[in-house]
Structure formats: structure tokens, C-alpha cells
Amino acid sequence: MSDLHDIDKKLIWHPFTSLVSEIEPILIQSAEGIYLTTDDGRKIIDAVSSWWVNIHGHSNPFIADAIAAQAKKLEHVIFAGFTHEPAITLAKNLISILPSNQAKIFFSDNGSTAVEVGLKMAYQFWYNQGIEKKKIVAIDGSYHGDTVGAMSVGERSPFTNAFSPLLFDVEFIDFPSADKEDYVVEQFKDIARQKNVGVFIFEPLVQGAAGMRMYSPAVLDRLIQIAQETNIICVADEVFTGFGRTGKLFASHYLKNKPDIIAVSKGITGGTMALGVTSCSDKIVKAFESSDVLKTFFHGHSYTANPIACAAANASFDLLMRDDCQQNIRHISSQHDNFKQKIKSHKTVKEVRNIGTIIAIELASQAGTSYFNDIRKKIYPFFLERNILLRPLGNVIYILPPYVIKEKELDAVYRCVEMFLESL
């Protein structure tokens, strides 16, 4: 397989990877369940669900069969002026599990584009009514994707520095950690009183890329209430938190106050196909229901509502709603709780955070919490040498397994984490 490695090195540009990296990418030949099989026969536990997308295990036969059947029937059709059953069924399925105020589904093709759609919907909501509310508010530390709009509402960092001149202005409130909740609420109140604030975007309860930082539903409810009282559109980025990751089908289900717009992707197809969805309430829809063609939402993608991707998402939905899947989610959550209690007092651990199927171990470090903390260079190879894929966020080790992982397999990951902590 050396020829494939050589061709890869010559022709392919990998994401989030230096072009002068000395680390060779690992060639994966196949995958099944929680295991990735390399070209030399190693079986690696995918303990991060391949960038958080795989919820039902790799090569899931139920989803694969749905994809194959759809590919033989209708592979794609332009979605402007046409429709098809997989998209209609998926829209119906999603509306049945999203917060009750969600009324309409717009299809795109990944998390960043789902967020872009949400931002554009919210912005045009005001434009269509001739109202000047152009300011957007986000939470410090946010990550919403890598397209320009999504970068604009995310934290300014080395990831975005090169594109600073392209990013539009956003007002950031502090992260509402337990010790700053009241302060952040007052901070948001002060901003919300400005008449030009039109949009508030947030990752509900968990900031994934920021190191799995978690905050309470209660404080988010307070922020959304303020937004609603001052007529600000709320956009929930559930790209990561959707489809059971937090223990509920959506993180928004922990809230009393409902967002106006929700962006989802990642787990939507069970990790098999690229698909993004943005849902919105009737309040949003009404601003676009006009005989004036200039009030149309002029947005679309070549592969909008791809039938094969929609078929995969419908199969994933069926699996997600089964009792055994929901039981697995609860069991993983319980195991994470137990593991947290076991290691939270370890001398090398600063904090352990968990919600649902997400657990994050923040290591104590003089360099502080940062994606670029050098300890990540130790973490990744340590676990990979032991056939476990854990891709750290700087000094934060997180475990985010597919829901099909067995208790003994998750325990094996925990034991390896303990080994690493003891090695420090």
C-alpha cells in the first residue's frame, strides 16, 4: 500500500493538517461498528465518532441497505421546482423530534452551510420587513464552522486570523460559566437594549471545539428570554449536540424557551453521507411569505436534499428512535458519570465535564487551556499506539463514542485514559 501513501502525500491536502507534517495519515481499508481497520490489519476504536458524526457504528447494514436501494431508484434531482419522497419523509421525521415551534425545513450539505443558512434567514427576516437590526451577538469561544459567515460568528483565533478582513462585526458576550452567569446575563441585557441587535447565535449547553466547555440550561434560558423580550432572533447551532449527544434528542429540549432557528448536521445521517438542515419557526417563515419575488430566500446548493443522503438520514432516524438506541445513550451517559467520579480528583486533572454521551477531561497545565497546548502532541500518539482514536482539543481529552459501543469496549478506553494520566 506504499503507492497509495505516496499518491496521498503528493496530491491530497488534509484538513487541519500542516503540509510539512511528519505524521503520515493512516490508511483505512474498512470499518465496522466502532472499529476502523487499517491497511496492515490493525483495528482502531473510533472513540470520537469520526469527528462526531458516526452515531450508529461504521458500515451499519440498515443504513447501507437504505443507501443502496435509493441509489438504484433516484440518485439526485435539482431541488428547485422538484421534490422527492426521501426529503419529504425526512422533513416530517425531523419536525416530529425538533422543538415544537419548528415548522419548516431547509436543506444544505454540512454543518457550516446549515449555520450560514440560519444566519442568512435571520438577517433577511429583518431585511424583508424593512427593519434595521443588523447586529449579531455570539458567545465567546464559539465555533460554528469554517465558511466566512460561520467564522464571523465564531471566536477570533489563529484559525481565523488570515481572514480577519473578510469577517463581519459581531458582538461577543462572555462564556456563561457557573461563576459568571449573572454577569453574562447583565452583559447580554445591556447589548440587547440596543435597538439594532437582530440575531443571537449559540451552541446550546456545549461548546465543542472550544474544549467541550459546558454551561447550564438555566442560564441559556435566561439569555433566550432576554432575546425574545427585546425581539432578537435566536439561532441554535445543534450541529454537534443534535441527535442524542447530550442525552436528549436535541440540547434545546433541556430549555423552556425555544430558539427560532436550529442548524443540524453531523449525526443526521448516522455518519454516512454529507447533509445539513436548518429548521425555523412560523415566525421566520411569515417574513418570506410574499408575492414580492425580492423577498425570496435566494440560497441553494447543487446537492440540496440529495435523495441518497436523505434516505440515509431516514434510516438513521429509524435507528435513533428505537428503544435499544435510547437505552445505549442512557448507558453511555451512566458510564461517563461513573468514570468522572473515579478520575476527577486525579492530580493531573483540572476538571471533568460530562453530559449525555460526551465526557471531557481537562488536564492541568501551566500553559493553560488551549487548542495549541503542546500536550496534544503526546495525547494523540499515546492512544493511537494502543489502537484508540482520541483526537484531543489541546489539553482536553474527550470521549464521544458511537452509541453501539459495548460496556467492555468503553471500559477499555477509560483504562487507557487512566494509563495516560498515570504517565504524566
Side-chain angles (χ1 to χ4, degrees):
M1 295 295 176
S2 60
D3 287 348
L4 290 177
H5 281 287
D6 291 341
I7 294 170
D8 180 283
K9 188 172 184 178
K10 181 179 179 181
L11 301 180
I12 296 178
W13 197 334
H14 289 268
F16 294 94
T17 304
S18 169
L19 289 178
V20 295
S21 173
E22 297 179 359
I23 301 175
E24 291 283 338
I26 297 170
L27 182 60
I28 299 299
Q29 292 281 59
S30 63
E32 183 177 1
I34 67 164
Y35 293 100
L36 307 170
T37 303
T38 67
D39 61 322
D40 57 359
R42 291 171 58 198
K43 288 190 178 299
I44 300 172
I45 294 176
D46 185 355
V48 296
S49 299
S50 285
W51 252 339
W52 320 344
V53 303
N54 191 289
I55 60 177
H56 303 301
H58 293 278
S59 303
N60 184 284
F62 185 74
I63 299 177
D65 288 345
I67 290 171
Q70 186 59 47
K72 293 177 182 179
K73 186 177 181 181
L74 173 64
E75 86 298 345
H76 189 60
V77 65
I78 181 175
F79 208 59
F82 292 86
T83 192
H84 49 77
E85 184 276 332
I88 295 167
T89 298
L90 180 55
K92 183 179 177 182
N93 286 338
L94 291 172
I95 289 297
S96 75
I97 61 173
L98 283 162
S100 59
N101 69 327
Q102 298 300 288
K104 226 167 184 68
I105 296 295
F106 192 97
F107 292 98
S108 59
D109 48 21
N110 63 64
S112 292
T113 56
V115 168
E116 293 272 343
V117 167
L119 290 172
K120 289 176 69 176
M121 272 184 186
Y123 197 86
Q124 192 174 339
F125 170 84
W126 298 116
Y127 177 86
N128 280 4
Q129 299 174 78
I131 299 173
E132 288 278 326
K133 287 173 76 73
K134 296 181 178 180
K135 180 172 284 188
I136 297 175
V137 180
I139 297 176
D140 185 56
S142 299
Y143 173 82
H144 295 288
D146 296 323
T147 49
V148 172
M151 280 195 297
S152 294
V153 293
E155 180 185 23
R156 302 303 197 264
S157 71
F159 290 100
T160 62
N161 285 346
F163 315 104
S164 293
L166 303 178
L167 307 183
F168 53 75
D169 289 336
V170 173
E171 186 111 16
F172 290 94
I173 58 174
D174 288 4
F175 180 77
S177 54
D179 60 330
K180 295 184 71 174
E181 289 184 354
D182 290 339
Y183 171 79
V184 173
V185 168
E186 292 303 315
Q187 186 184 26
F188 188 55
K189 279 182 181 178
D190 289 340
I191 296 170
R193 291 189 185 105
Q194 302 171 29
K195 293 182 179 180
N196 65 336
V197 180
V199 184
F200 172 42
I201 184 169
F202 51 87
E203 297 162 272
L205 309 191
V206 187
Q207 285 190 335
M212 301 297 169
R213 296 202 298 179
M214 301 178 186
Y215 63 106
S216 76
V219 71
L220 182 54
D221 257 327
R222 292 170 70 188
L223 296 174
I224 295 174
Q225 183 176 347
I226 293 165
Q228 291 173 343
E229 289 171 350
T230 51
N231 207 14
I232 297 170
I233 298 301
C234 294
V235 180
D237 176 357
E238 294 240 28
V239 170
F240 166 46
T241 52
F243 305 102
R245 277 298 175 198
T246 64
K248 293 183 183 288
L249 289 171
F250 295 95
S252 295
H253 287 316
Y254 285 94
L255 305 173
K256 296 176 182 176
N257 298 311
K258 301 176 179 65
D260 302 288
I261 296 171
I262 300 176
V264 299
S265 186
K266 289 200 182 289
I268 191 170
T269 66
T272 61
M273 300 284 292
L275 184 64
V277 160
T278 308
S279 68
C280 67
S281 67
D282 272 328
K283 175 182 176 179
I284 303 300
V285 173
K286 282 181 171 57
F288 294 85
E289 289 180 332
S290 172
S291 58
D292 182 354
V293 68
L294 296 181
K295 292 186 177 180
T296 301
F297 188 54
F298 292 113
H299 187 104
H301 301 264
S302 299
Y303 284 93
T304 291
N306 174 259
I308 301 175
C310 289
N314 286 322
S316 179
F317 172 87
D318 289 343
L319 293 174
L320 179 67
M321 300 308 290
R322 288 181 182 176
D323 287 343
D324 58 344
C325 182
Q326 293 301 310
Q327 289 172 5
N328 288 346
I329 290 171
R330 289 191 291 270
H331 191 63
I332 293 169
S333 302
S334 177
Q335 278 190 268
H336 281 350
D337 277 335
N338 293 337
F339 187 57
K340 174 183 178 178
Q341 298 306 316
K342 186 176 183 180
I343 65 166
K344 67 179 183 180
S345 299
H346 194 281
K347 64 179 186 292
T348 62
V349 172
K350 178 181 178 181
E351 184 182 28
V352 185
R353 302 181 285 273
N354 70 300
I355 182 173
T357 66
I358 309 162
I359 186 168
I361 303 104
E362 183 174 341
L363 304 178
S365 171
Q366 291 184 343
T369 301
S370 166
Y371 182 90
F372 297 101
N373 191 302
D374 279 345
I375 199 168
R376 67 191 174 94
K377 297 176 183 177
K378 294 181 180 179
I379 298 171
Y380 182 70
F382 180 93
F383 289 99
L384 208 52
E385 287 166 7
R386 291 157 179 81
N387 293 324
I388 297 173
L389 172 56
L390 286 178
R391 186 181 173 91
L393 296 162
N395 60 313
V396 177
I397 301 170
Y398 69 91
I399 305 169
L400 190 77
Y403 302 154
V404 296
I405 195 168
K406 299 288 189 284
E407 183 175 343
K408 64 179 181 180
E409 294 166 335
L410 190 48
D411 281 339
V413 177
Y414 293 153
R415 287 196 299 273
C416 203
V417 170
E418 289 182 274
M419 286 174 55
F420 180 77
L421 296 180
E422 291 302 322
S423 74
L424 295 176

